[in-house]
Amino acid sequence: MHENQLVNDCLRRHGGALLFMAPEWREDQRAVPCQIVDVFALQVVTGFTCDPHGKLLLEAHPSVAAGRSWSLAKAAQLARLDARPERWVVLQRNNRAWGMFWAGGGLHRCRQELLDTSQLPVLSSAIVPVTPEAVLRLVLNLEIEDTAPTATALQADDQPAVVGSSGVLKAVLLTSLAWLAVLAVTAAGFLGLLREQDRKLELLLERLPPPASDR
């Protein structure tokens, strides 16, 4: 997936946790809602428990809708104190940050950052591939079933034509929906950039001197 050039400006460190914020975010803007994302398993934190030794364990689910929102300070604290701090990224709940993370290469960049800093080989083996179907399931909470068992059962009933057509149509539909979701979050970030350019243009026009005929 293509990486937006502004992705590096989104990566920050706060309270020992890796943050992914909108490029225009400033250190003094602490009152922003955030989610905690397991970038290797593609899951979002829904809560936390403690193990028998009192160690914090974050609970995650493969659905953005199921994820909880936290303050920036609380999210950074939870990500740092978890028994597996190298898995988590604190993601700002902001349209631009969200779009750049899921569709602009931010997820891949965060994986690289954590792999480079943690030096734990177990992380590499735990990576879930970032495919359109995986992102769609995470964002829209769809259950994408394996069609192979269904195909086998239907073939036993001598209906191969139905299996082939339904399997292909389902794959095309899921892939199309996935890319539509990716395009939607990309468009959100792009529209934000356009609005910023409009504001700059308006300021520039206000500073221009009036035409000679108007003087």
Side-chain angles (χ1 to χ4, degrees):
M1 185 177 291
H2 178 68
E3 183 172 306
N4 192 297
Q5 294 181 354
L6 294 176
V7 163
N8 286 334
D9 297 332
C10 299
L11 289 177
R12 311 290 181 92
R13 288 281 181 177
H14 175 72
L18 180 64
L19 311 183
F20 193 90
M21 317 294 285
E24 62 274 9
W25 179 81
R26 302 190 309 270
E27 289 290 337
D28 60 338
Q29 296 175 334
R30 301 295 179 86
V32 292
C34 300
Q35 287 187 317
I36 309 173
V37 181
D38 183 338
V39 296
F40 297 102
L42 293 184
Q43 296 185 342
V44 183
V45 170
T46 58
F48 57 88
T49 58
C50 292
D51 66 13
H53 305 287
K55 191 69 175 179
L56 181 70
L57 293 175
L58 295 180
E59 298 177 335
H61 187 274
S63 168
V64 170
R68 281 187 58 182
S69 293
W70 319 83
S71 67
L72 173 59
K74 184 64 174 180
Q77 179 187 38
L78 290 173
R80 175 176 56 86
L81 295 178
D82 181 72
R84 305 140 300 170
E86 67 281 348
R87 304 188 65 90
W88 311 106
V89 168
V90 176
L91 174 61
Q92 181 185 3
R93 296 203 68 165
N94 169 280
N95 285 342
R96 196 172 181 201
W98 203 82
M100 294 180 68
F101 183 80
W102 295 114
L107 174 60
H108 177 69
R109 183 67 183 84
C110 288
R111 282 181 168 182
Q112 286 184 322
E113 178 74 14
L114 292 175
L115 285 172
D116 292 342
T117 56
S118 65
Q119 301 298 324
L120 292 179
V122 68
L123 291 179
S124 298
S125 62
I127 292 179
V128 173
V130 181
T131 62
E133 290 81 6
V135 174
L136 181 66
R137 182 170 60 249
L138 181 68
V139 174
L140 301 182
N141 195 27
L142 293 179
E143 295 294 334
I144 300 178
E145 301 176 354
D146 184 1
T147 58
T150 304
T152 303
L154 290 175
Q155 285 172 352
D157 294 332
D158 296 326
Q159 296 180 359
V162 176
V163 175
S165 61
S166 62
V168 171
L169 288 175
K170 187 173 184 179
V172 171
L173 176 61
L174 290 175
T175 302
S176 300
L177 288 174
W179 284 118
L180 284 174
V182 171
L183 287 174
V185 296
T186 304
F190 182 68
L191 290 175
L193 290 175
L194 288 180
R195 285 193 292 269
E196 181 66 22
Q197 292 298 323
D198 288 341
R199 285 194 294 268
K200 291 180 179 178
L201 180 59
E202 290 175 1
L203 290 174
L204 179 62
L205 292 175
E206 291 175 357
R207 294 173 183 173
L208 290 176
S213 59
D214 297 339
R215 294 178 181 176

